[in-house]
Amino acid sequence: MIYNILDGKAAYYRAPKCGCSTITAWVTLLEEPTLYDDKIEWFTQERYRRIFKYIDKNRYFGYYDTSNHPVRFCMVRDPVDRFLSGYTNRVVYHQDIQKEVKDIPVPNVDEFIERFDYFCDICPVVNNHFKSQVHFYKKDSKHFTHIFNFKQFNEVKVLLELIGNIELPNLHLQRSKGLQKPVLSDSQVEWIKNKYKEDYEVYGSYMS
């Protein structure tokens, strides 16, 4: 999905587990600067999903031709770290699989990897969150004017403040409330790297 910011001043390409909750909150404030004061409870770990509902209602997201946007940006993340974050947050914390099939226990990371295709088939949320980054972004990194890595949230914030001529709040949304990420075996790490090989090929040089 693409966020068309301020009628073409910039375009933000969004991918799950790549900082999208925090960045989406910031870009929404560019469109609606008073929202933080009017609905400050939305900008918390417990209520941030209201921001996405607001965006869907007002149709800020869509698919656009962004070739003429002066700023086109995205955030990339190492696929192993992104996979672990997706597992910990969506599978363990939110238990999205159980929302689809209630009698399935929460799989440990070994079972999740072994039956990965099955869990993606039965759970649309999991399927979406574990798609590759090139699925959400273009396969040509040169399309973007800015590509940020997962350590550069402040740089994203500064860019958006310049675009919108606004001071944005410090945010960090979508956490898993202290849950520890599992430790992967060497073979599991290699499985993830192979599965997301194209992400490394296209965006690997921007990930650190």
Side-chain angles (χ1 to χ4, degrees):
M1 295 290 282
I2 304 168
Y3 198 122
N4 182 28
I5 301 172
L6 298 176
D7 293 324
K9 284 189 175 181
Y12 164 51
Y13 283 66
R14 184 179 79 180
K17 308 313 300 177
C18 289
C20 69
S21 296
T22 297
I23 298 173
T24 296
W26 282 333
V27 296
T28 302
L29 288 175
L30 265 64
E31 300 284 354
E32 303 283 351
T34 64
L35 199 61
Y36 188 71
D37 293 326
D38 296 341
K39 300 289 184 180
I40 192 170
E41 69 275 9
W42 291 7
F43 297 84
T44 62
Q45 173 66 22
E46 291 74 24
R47 302 289 297 279
Y48 74 94
R49 294 298 305 175
R50 293 296 299 272
I51 299 172
F52 287 90
K53 291 180 180 179
Y54 183 85
I55 287 169
D56 291 340
K57 180 180 178 180
N58 289 278
R59 298 184 180 181
Y60 289 137
F61 272 106
Y63 295 93
Y64 308 96
D65 176 9
T66 63
S67 56
N68 291 323
H69 286 56
V71 175
R72 301 178 298 276
F73 76 96
C74 66
M75 176 172 279
V76 296
R77 188 174 187 178
D78 181 87
V80 175
D81 185 48
R82 180 173 178 254
F83 186 95
L84 284 172
S85 176
Y87 170 78
T88 304
N89 185 255
R90 303 312 315 183
V91 178
V92 179
Y93 178 67
H94 286 289
Q95 298 188 6
D96 289 315
I97 295 171
Q98 285 63 44
K99 294 173 183 176
E100 299 295 330
V101 184
K102 297 185 183 300
D103 60 348
I104 293 182
V106 175
N108 62 33
V109 73
D110 298 337
E111 182 183 3
F112 182 69
I113 289 175
E114 289 173 3
R115 306 179 69 193
F116 180 78
D117 291 339
Y118 168 71
F119 289 125
C120 286
D121 286 344
I122 65 172
C123 183
V125 173
V126 167
N127 182 53
N128 184 63
H129 277 73
F130 286 87
K131 288 180 178 178
S132 67
Q133 290 167 78
V134 295
H135 172 83
F136 296 98
Y137 308 149
K138 289 181 177 290
K139 294 185 179 181
D140 181 7
S141 61
K142 294 180 181 178
H143 171 75
F144 294 99
T145 61
H146 300 72
I147 298 176
F148 299 97
N149 66 46
F150 208 65
K151 298 177 182 179
Q152 295 180 305
F153 278 95
N154 189 61
E155 287 85 343
V156 174
K157 180 173 175 283
V158 169
L159 175 66
L160 292 173
E161 288 176 333
L162 289 172
I163 293 169
N165 191 27
I166 186 176
E167 184 176 349
L168 294 169
N170 292 317
L171 298 173
H172 185 182
L173 304 178
Q174 184 64 307
R175 303 181 187 183
S176 299
K177 291 191 175 181
L179 287 176
Q180 295 296 312
K181 296 176 183 177
V183 177
L184 299 172
S185 68
D186 291 344
S187 62
Q188 289 172 334
V189 170
E190 288 305 310
W191 180 86
I192 295 170
K193 287 183 176 180
N194 183 64
K195 180 169 184 60
Y196 298 99
K197 181 180 178 181
E198 197 169 21
D199 283 351
Y200 285 112
E201 292 173 348
V202 178
Y203 294 104
S205 62
Y206 299 95
M207 291 178 181
S208 60

